[in-house]
Amino acid sequence: SSHEHKLNFKKSKEVCLSYIQDAMLQKQWKRAAEFLTFYVESLEKDFSTQYMGPSETIWRIGTEILCHHSYSSMKEFNSFTEQMKTLGVKRYLKVCLEHAFHLLCNGLIDEAYQNLSLAESWRFGEQTAIQDKEMKLIQAYRGLLDYYSWSKQKTILLEHGQDGFEDLSVEQEMHSYFRKAAVNLKEIIKIPGVWDLFVKCYVDLLEFYGDHNEARQVLNEYAYNSKFPANPNAHVYLYQFLKRHGESKKSLVSALKILHDIVPSHELMIDFNTMLQKSKKRKKRRLGLEVIFAALDYAGWKENVKAWSCLARQVKQIVISEKPLDWIKQEWNSRKDWWPAFHFSRYLAKRNWQENESLSYEKALVAGILLGKDCKYFKYVSHQGCKAQVKRFRILKKFVNKHNPVYLRISG
Amino acid sequence: DFNERCAQCSEVNWGLTDGGRFYCRSCHNVTERTREVVNTDFISNTRIQTISKGLRKQEKPDGGCEWYVCEGFQLVLKKQAEALEALGVCPQMKDEILCNFWRRYLQKSKQAYCNRPAGETVKALSVCDSSTDVESEPERPSLLHLSLSESEGDLQTDCSFASSTSRVSESTSVCSGSVDGSLYLMKNQREKLRMTMPMTLSFCYMALLWLREPMTLSDLLRFVVEGHIPYLNVFQHFPEKMKLCGLDLKIFCVESWPVYEEVYNKMLELAAFLDLPRFPDITDSCFLHPDMLCMKYLMEANLPDELHNWTCRVVKKICIGEADFLTLVPGNKSTRNVKYDVLAAAVIVVVLKLLFLLDDHYEWLLSDFAEESNKNNKEGGPYFAFKKWYKVIKCSLDVEQKKLDEERAKYLWRCEKPLFYSAKKKSKVLKRRQMVVSLQDQFGKLSGSVQPAEKPKPSSFQLSWSEENTDGSCFHGHSLKGILQEKCGLLTAMNPAYWLCTVKLCTEKLCGHLAHYREVDFPQSYHFVLRLFSFLLRIQPSYIHDEVCVIEHKLFNKKLCKKSKYNTRLRK
């Protein structure tokens, strides 16, 4: 190790900082606090021309330590954060925002609201314009808290309604929160970004007050505007909205199609496949097969009985009607090299059988069709099933044996 | 004392104003007479005194007074000298040596004590008291020669200098609290050797060397870093009236610890600049003599006392124990100047190489033999085993190094007296200071540790080993028997080989070094030994390595001259 004998202010503080970082990584909060005590004097500008910029570092480190240290209190945290706000005007709103988050995480909603309101009223020459983004976020979160208050009032109102009370003041408050929340939430979701929470709340407000058009427009914008980053949730929200309002199958399918493109492993794929299988249109059913195969490519679905049952049902149907076997062939082509080891190993056969009979049933059906009656998986499970005298396995065995030629045509 | 009657009220009841003038206590009449008395605030204030007569303005509205940069440095030196005295250095250092060096400096750099057109002859400054103990030390050259042959006394300073500053002072007073701050930094002071904070330490060391005090330069610098000698934030001790701001900060505030080389080289420059004569001889009874220093370092490094014979032998062989070699002769460029501490450490390293080879192989072999012998032979003192020593030292060294590294990370550079460049920044600086103090408080409470109230006491030894320790961790009394043999009545090492650190020395003028040390190029045992002394002296291992190379070249001079083909391993 090199021991730097020439020690100056800057180097000394760098070394100090590395000690702080080491302590924090090892969760030694007391030690971190100790070294931070020696680090803070770097805020007093030294006389060299090099700018060290420690205030952001101190803010972040101090916050971490205060969050984790067993003896620190909310009061201390607040006092520290207030000091940090005065340190750098360029960072003022950011600190306010993070302060509010921290308060929220500790359940201090009212304090968080006050902080955000205070921050909203901050003006500082051209800094106000420069920190415009942070300001929008502050307004958005305040809007969110307004929504939360609205929601509380709504619950009270509904309860009173049930009890037969008419509460005008509660209703008025509720409406006023609505207005405040709506204004701010609407603003933030105009800016391209990921605003899941804000969108959900805003849509909730709109739906309550019956403005379905606006809600649909908002969701469409959020999902389809190319300026916004690709966000699977946007499509989920849209789908759920459309479903709630009984929209046509066509629109539901188109909403889910994009979701399938972005996130083939999404949990809604089951619903999607179910919807598509029932369709009269060939194209849709074809898509359904594609969707369910794609979902099962992912490890998270390996043991999902529902998914396997969807696939099994569709495969069975195709096999029985004997057309279009091409579909299966197409889907299987790219999978025949790795699905056997991935899903249909002997080990998995044993495990699936032991842990989940239904799973092994569905999988055995698919394996039997795709890999033939002599494949490890099918052989083991069907044997076990028949041995245990479970009726459906006997039926399964018969079925697969009967349709074995299909396998030959698929694999060839 | 002043005994005249007051012109206004005819009373004899005098007091002194802050400006040093007599005023009548009865009628408050202020006279033009000033008191010619040495102000205890400064070592010698004759300069200030006369400034107050004419040139010095009335006190500034903020309560400050006019002061010159050299006055500031004078204060610094005084504080440092006082601290050294508290550490045990003889009082002469402060009262005579240092202050005379300083006066001479002021004179040579034309900041004071020099010829002016309107000069009056002055009493020659009497320098040494008869209180010196002449018996124990060889005769010192009389310091009277150092005293000022030029006139002194009624110093309205170098008139041209002063008048130029008064012209400039109107415009520059904003840029510095001192009168000549900006001028100080602006002028090309190369020929005049401009004073800096590190140079104050050069002054101190020079004075210590003149008196042959038992403090090496590395000791001095270590005491500075440990806070026993004022250096960092020394301006805290300036009187209230001396306001620092603006460019003064560049002059008096340090942002880094002094570096050995820098202080040392400045000292040489300074000695030459002051036209000092040959320094008092360093003889073998002086602390700085390699024989003495080797003994100290051997003790501190926990090495056997017997090694001292060997260091003395090496010293004698290469003639580095002679007064002519060791004594500083300022301005003499032909002799290589001696860094006593580095030299002693290097001698020890060479001795270790002579006896143990330190090639990462032989020394462990010898250890094994020694430990075998120790097992079989319980009587008599134990044989010294390198391995055991290495383990003990490494353990302690690692602990101490870790402590030192943490201390360095915890240095506090700022002090309660905040400084600011200009009055505009004052409020911001004070607010920052307030915040820093409050944050220190807040996190200090969370750190759970109690801040140690006192500094550790300064000590010359950083590592100490006691023979009373029963764990056998003290090696002073161990014997070198296992590694020595007798040949022709002389004790020699059993080790027949030696490896040179470098075959050829570099030219110092070209690259600044005599050798280039890279850890990977050398055996680990060698690096370990360098590391040990590097820690003790607080300098880079390469400095010691350089010195080791020089010693080796002197020691094996003849063999090197023969230009043998296989020149990395020599037979002794």
Side-chain angles (χ1 to χ4, degrees), chain A residues 9 41-51, chain B residues 255 414 419 425 432:
Chain A
F9 178 78
E41 65 167 12
S42 59
L43 287 172
E44 296 181 272
K45 193 171 189 316
D46 61 9
F47 308 111
S48 63
T49 47
Q50 291 165 311
Y51 178 61
Chain B
E255 289 278 310
R414 304 281 174 249
L419 295 173
K425 301 236 169 140
R432 275 290 162 105

Side-chain angles (χ1 to χ4, degrees), chain A residues 353 380-390 393-394 397:
Chain A
W353 169 252
Y380 181 86
V381 170
S382 62
H383 175 75
Q384 294 292 327
C386 293
K387 206 166 79 174
Q389 298 192 336
V390 180
F393 282 95
R394 276 210 305 274
K397 199 168 181 180

Side-chain angles (χ1 to χ4, degrees), chain A residues 301-402:
Chain A
W301 290 90
K302 272 170 103 164
E303 313 207 327
N304 189 311
V305 182
K306 197 111 204 300
W308 283 107
S309 82
C310 283
L311 178 60
R313 181 174 46 212
Q314 201 162 12
V315 160
K316 191 170 174 184
Q317 206 180 35
I318 292 173
V319 162
I320 291 173
S321 65
E322 295 218 357
K323 59 172 178 180
L325 285 173
D326 276 359
W327 290 1
I328 300 183
K329 200 168 172 184
Q330 277 160 18
E331 291 301 326
W332 186 235
N333 233 353
S334 57
R335 291 175 170 94
K336 63 178 184 233
D337 291 328
W338 61 280
W339 265 45
F342 191 55
H343 286 303
F344 303 125
S345 67
R346 191 176 154 77
Y347 168 75
L348 279 172
K350 270 190 177 163
R351 216 177 85 185
N352 293 154
W353 169 252
Q354 274 168 0
E355 289 174 5
N356 190 336
E357 195 194 283
S358 300
L359 176 69
S360 63
Y361 173 79
E362 304 291 348
K363 277 179 80 175
L365 178 71
V366 176
I369 299 297
L370 296 174
L371 293 170
K373 66 178 167 55
D374 293 321
C375 80
K376 292 181 269 199
Y377 196 91
F378 176 76
K379 263 176 104 169
Y380 181 86
V381 170
S382 62
H383 175 75
Q384 294 292 327
C386 293
K387 206 166 79 174
Q389 298 192 336
V390 180
K391 189 174 177 196
R392 56 179 173 170
F393 282 95
R394 276 210 305 274
I395 301 175
L396 174 67
K397 199 168 181 180
K398 275 196 205 143
F399 178 81
V400 170
N401 280 330
K402 180 178 170 195

Side-chain angles (χ1 to χ4, degrees), chain B residues 135 234 244 285 316 422 436 518:
Chain B
E135 283 139 36
V234 69
L244 268 97
S285 57
K316 193 161 179 198
S422 64
V436 167
R518 280 195 327 162

Side-chain angles (χ1 to χ4, degrees), chain A residues 9 17 45 64 94 136 150 156 171 177 222 236 253 263 267 270 278 281-282 298 311 319 330 346 368 398-399:
Chain A
F9 178 78
L17 186 61
K45 193 171 189 316
E64 271 307 294
K94 205 196 280 185
K136 282 243 155 53
W150 171 87
I156 295 174
E171 207 179 318
Y177 280 127
Y222 195 51
V236 173
V253 163
V263 189
E267 57 183 4
I270 293 187
K278 292 192 201 142
K281 302 225 177 104
R282 274 178 66 97
Y298 290 86
L311 178 60
V319 162
Q330 277 160 18
R346 191 176 154 77
K398 275 196 205 143
F399 178 81

Side-chain angles (χ1 to χ4, degrees), chain A residues 89 122-131:
Chain A
V89 74
W122 182 74
R123 298 283 177 272
F124 201 97
E126 47 168 46
Q127 279 298 321
T128 325
I130 294 172
Q131 297 185 44

Side-chain angles (χ1 to χ4, degrees), chain A residues 35-225:
Chain A
F35 278 93
L36 186 60
T37 319
F38 297 107
Y39 186 72
V40 291
E41 65 167 12
S42 59
L43 287 172
E44 296 181 272
K45 193 171 189 316
D46 61 9
F47 308 111
S48 63
T49 47
Q50 291 165 311
Y51 178 61
M52 272 177 65
S55 35
E56 172 136 16
T57 312
I58 289 176
W59 167 47
R60 296 223 180 262
I61 291 178
T63 306
E64 271 307 294
I65 293 176
L66 287 171
C67 280
H68 292 102
H69 197 289
S70 40
Y71 292 159
S72 84
S73 65
M74 211 50 220
K75 188 164 159 242
E76 281 207 40
F77 184 88
N78 287 338
S79 130
F80 172 73
T81 309
E82 291 303 327
Q83 282 184 308
M84 291 298 106
K85 285 179 190 170
T86 65
L87 256 190
V89 74
K90 288 187 192 153
R91 208 174 300 113
Y92 180 78
L93 287 180
K94 205 196 280 185
V95 179
C96 284
L97 196 56
E98 301 230 1
H99 190 192
F101 290 158
H102 195 257
L103 290 167
L104 285 173
C105 289
N106 281 280
L108 297 166
I109 306 203
D110 292 333
E111 278 89 342
Y113 192 84
Q114 275 165 23
N115 254 288
L116 290 170
S117 303
L118 202 66
E120 224 184 316
S121 62
W122 182 74
R123 298 283 177 272
F124 201 97
E126 47 168 46
Q127 279 298 321
T128 325
I130 294 172
Q131 297 185 44
D132 175 60
K133 286 205 179 88
E134 284 87 347
M135 185 56 94
K136 282 243 155 53
L137 278 172
I138 286 176
Q139 287 166 334
Y141 277 98
R142 217 210 64 194
L144 199 65
L145 291 179
D146 283 326
Y147 166 83
Y148 179 69
S149 304
W150 171 87
S151 185
K152 275 202 291 194
Q153 297 300 88
K154 182 182 87 171
T155 317
I156 295 174
L157 198 69
L158 289 174
E159 277 172 7
H160 286 188
Q162 281 179 347
D163 298 338
F165 292 135
E166 277 268 326
D167 205 328
L168 207 62
S169 65
V170 170
E171 207 179 318
Q172 274 184 341
E173 256 196 87
M174 194 182 94
H175 291 326
S176 109
Y177 280 127
F178 160 71
R179 275 190 293 273
K180 285 199 273 192
V183 155
N184 283 324
L185 292 175
K186 186 171 180 182
E187 276 306 303
I188 195 80
I189 61 183
K190 276 195 202 155
I191 306 172
V194 178
W195 309 119
D196 289 354
L197 189 58
F198 300 128
V199 166
K200 273 179 91 171
C201 296
Y202 187 47
V203 165
D204 188 27
L205 285 173
L206 290 170
E207 282 194 278
F208 182 84
Y209 286 93
D211 196 348
H212 302 306
N213 280 329
E214 176 73 11
R216 183 184 295 111
Q217 202 173 9
V218 163
L219 287 170
N220 271 312
E221 262 292 293
Y222 195 51
Y224 295 121
N225 187 338

